[in-house]
Structure formats: C-alpha cells, structure tokens
Amino acid sequence: MVYKLFFIKSNLYFYFILSWEQRKLGDIFKYEQPQAYIVESTEYDDRYKTPVLTAGQSFILGYTDEKFGIKNVNSDKPVVIFDDFTTSAHYVDFPFKVKSSAMKLLSLANGKDDIHCAYNVLQNIGYEPVSHERHWISTFAKFNVYMPKSSVEQKCIGDYFSSLDNLIFTVNNSKLIGEHLINRPNRLHYKFNFTIPSISEINEYLCDSIDKDKQTVIPEILETAVRIPLNYDALRAIAFEINHGNDLDDLLYDLNINYSDTLIYDVEVFLSNDFNTLTNNNVEIDF
C-alpha cells in the first residue's frame, strides 16, 4: 500500500511517497507487566523526585521518594504505558513508578522500528472499550495496522510527531483544537478554560499571588477589573510583574491591557416629569 504525505516544518514542505505494510500490533510492541514498579506508599510530595504514573488522563499522580522498583527509561530507551482497561496510552522517556497493575509497559519488539511512529499508529486506533476487561493481549495485540516498510521513512514520521511534544499550546476554546490533539496530554500540555472571575475572586487571587509588601496596589487593580474584564491569565501576568517591582500603569500598557481613566457610556435617561430633553449631552457620572 502506498500513501502520499505532506509535512510542514520550518515553513518548508516535505513530500513523501511511503510504502506501508500490514503488521500486527503485537509484533510491533512487546509488553512487560508493571508489578515490579508499583509504588508502596501513596503519600506523594512534589519535593520528591520519582513520578508515579497512570496511563489515564491525569498521567502523573504525584512524586515518591521510594528508591526501589523504579522503571529506568530514557529518550534512547522509552516505553509506552498502556491502560489495559481504558486503552489510553502515554509515551514515557524518564524513570518512573506506577500506581497499579492495570497497565502494560510497551516497548519495541524490533529495534529497527521508530517508537514515535509506532506510538502514533497506536494512538490513532479508533477503538472504544465497551466492557471492563483487559484489552492488550485479547484485543489490541491482534489488531492489524499499517506501518511504513522503510525505517528511514518511519523515522521521518516519528521525528515530525516527536517535534510536537516540544510545543506548548494555550487554548481558550477547546472546540478549536484539532481532533488529533484532543485527549493527548503529551501533545497538548496545557489547556486553559478562561472565565472572568468576580471582584471578590480577583481580590482573593491577588492576595494569594502578590507579595505582602506590594499588596497596597491591589485596590487599584480591583478598580481596573471593574473597567476591564480580567481573566486569570491576565491576573497571573499582572501579579508577576508587580512582584518584580513594575509600576501598574506601565505594566498594563506593556501587557497590552487596554486601560483608560476616561469611561464613555451610552446612557438612556427616563425623566419622571413631562420634560424629555437633555440640554447637556456631556454628563459626568461619579460612582
């Protein structure tokens, strides 16, 4: 089977004519049971070094200080953790421990294959679990999938997808995310759903985020928030700049937050008497 693919990198178009072959997924990946790497204590702490992983959406559950039973992998010898029940998967290239045995640790059966290419083939299998059972041995290992015959062409595809791992996206509207990025934490590192907090929520956030000796500026920021809708992304940037000694007016300008001392309103006035004409169209409102 021959496919034509286009890739865009650094504003250059790469064109490949790839010859693909059908192979069983169980022939591409070999698996290891995770029991030897299960963490004993779930008292995690961010000060510890070794991450405890799950193949589910959360990926990193916490960090442990346990020195034993660590799965030592790196970028030269990575693995894919595969959730045996939900069939979700994550690429991993750093040492880790796991929370439970409900997964398989997948690695390449043939060193000539490209792990990034194979991983993306795995990720694009359109399978929805319908029962609570283990899926790797009984189902996934038996799937027939297509892989490029040439290891060079595999690497070209693998390098392309690997380069996406180094990108960080900030997304305001999840509906604008391409379907191939949805539910792939290694592809989409951060997704923020921005909302406009209330004044009390803003005040609480600023009190937590701005250094104590600089909090006299908070009332001015709250006044700004009355005039301009500020989401948490803007508030985070403002607090950062304030903590680094920057003047509020200057930083609002630098952050491109449109601030004005003059407010202009369109006002419709209803008079209680028979008069319906305003003789002065310029009215100052003191509030």
Side-chain angles (χ1 to χ4, degrees):
M1 180 176 290
V2 176
Y3 284 92
K4 297 178 181 179
L5 284 106
F6 291 90
F7 290 97
I8 305 175
K9 189 174 182 180
S10 301
N11 297 321
L12 297 176
Y13 289 84
F14 292 87
Y15 177 72
F16 299 100
I17 298 179
L18 307 179
S19 178
W20 297 57
E21 61 181 351
Q22 191 177 75
R23 297 165 59 183
K24 288 192 179 299
L25 203 56
D27 294 332
I28 299 172
F29 287 108
K30 59 183 179 180
Y31 73 88
E32 180 184 7
Q33 299 285 7
Q35 281 82 352
Y37 313 112
I38 295 177
V39 69
E40 290 190 355
S41 172
T42 57
E43 295 183 2
Y44 307 134
D45 194 307
D46 289 343
R47 294 173 298 176
Y48 300 149
K49 293 183 178 180
T50 303
V52 179
L53 305 185
T54 173
Q57 292 290 337
S58 53
F59 188 39
I60 297 180
L61 297 174
Y63 294 84
T64 179
D65 61 349
E66 294 178 5
K67 307 297 183 184
F68 54 89
I70 297 174
K71 178 63 176 176
N72 286 304
V73 298
N74 53 49
S75 57
D76 294 325
K77 197 176 180 180
V79 297
V80 173
I81 57 174
F82 176 88
D83 191 309
D84 236 354
F85 293 98
T86 67
T87 73
S88 63
H90 296 281
Y91 172 90
V92 184
D93 59 2
F94 50 82
F96 65 93
K97 290 178 71 71
V98 300
K99 174 65 168 61
S100 74
S101 61
M103 67 171 68
K104 295 289 189 290
L105 310 182
L106 308 180
S107 57
L108 292 176
N110 185 340
K112 293 183 180 180
D113 287 328
D114 184 87
I115 184 69
H116 294 286
C117 180
Y119 171 60
N120 279 276
V121 168
L122 170 64
Q123 288 284 72
N124 282 283
I125 293 176
Y127 180 87
E128 293 291 336
V130 294
S131 60
H132 188 70
E133 60 181 353
R134 294 182 181 270
H135 288 84
W136 179 257
I137 296 174
S138 63
T139 306
F140 267 66
K142 299 176 182 178
F143 278 145
N144 289 316
V145 297
Y146 284 98
M147 285 278 287
K149 287 184 178 180
S150 167
S151 59
V152 174
E153 291 176 339
Q154 281 192 33
K155 189 175 187 307
C156 289
I157 295 175
D159 286 348
Y160 171 78
F161 284 108
S162 177
S163 67
L164 297 180
D165 292 340
N166 297 320
L167 298 178
I168 297 178
F169 297 87
T170 300
V171 181
N172 291 325
N173 186 349
S174 60
K175 293 181 180 179
L176 301 180
I177 307 173
E179 61 177 308
H180 297 295
L181 293 176
I182 293 290
N183 294 328
R184 303 180 72 177
N186 64 312
R187 296 282 177 259
L188 189 66
H189 289 266
Y190 298 101
K191 175 190 151 207
F192 298 101
N193 289 317
F194 290 134
T195 57
I196 303 302
S198 66
I199 294 300
S200 61
E201 290 172 332
I202 292 175
N203 183 65
E204 181 180 359
Y205 177 85
L206 294 174
C207 288
D208 289 339
S209 303
I210 294 179
D211 296 341
K212 296 293 184 183
D213 61 332
K214 297 182 174 65
Q215 291 191 1
T216 54
V217 75
I218 289 179
E220 294 181 60
I221 302 175
L222 296 178
E223 182 180 343
T224 302
V226 172
R227 300 166 179 262
I228 305 169
L230 296 177
N231 58 32
Y232 282 110
D233 185 46
L235 293 171
R236 185 183 300 111
I238 290 171
F240 176 85
E241 295 294 336
I242 290 293
N243 287 335
H244 284 76
N246 293 310
D247 178 76
L248 179 60
D249 288 333
D250 290 340
L251 72 86
L252 290 176
Y253 178 82
D254 292 339
L255 293 174
N256 197 30
I257 296 176
N258 296 320
Y259 176 87
S260 174
D261 289 326
T262 302
L263 296 178
I264 300 175
Y265 295 90
D266 292 326
V267 178
E268 186 175 0
V269 178
F270 295 91
L271 302 178
S272 60
N273 52 30
D274 293 334
F275 296 100
N276 56 13
T277 303
L278 288 178
T279 58
N280 187 353
N281 291 329
N282 296 317
V283 179
E284 290 188 3
I285 300 177
D286 185 13
F287 66 93

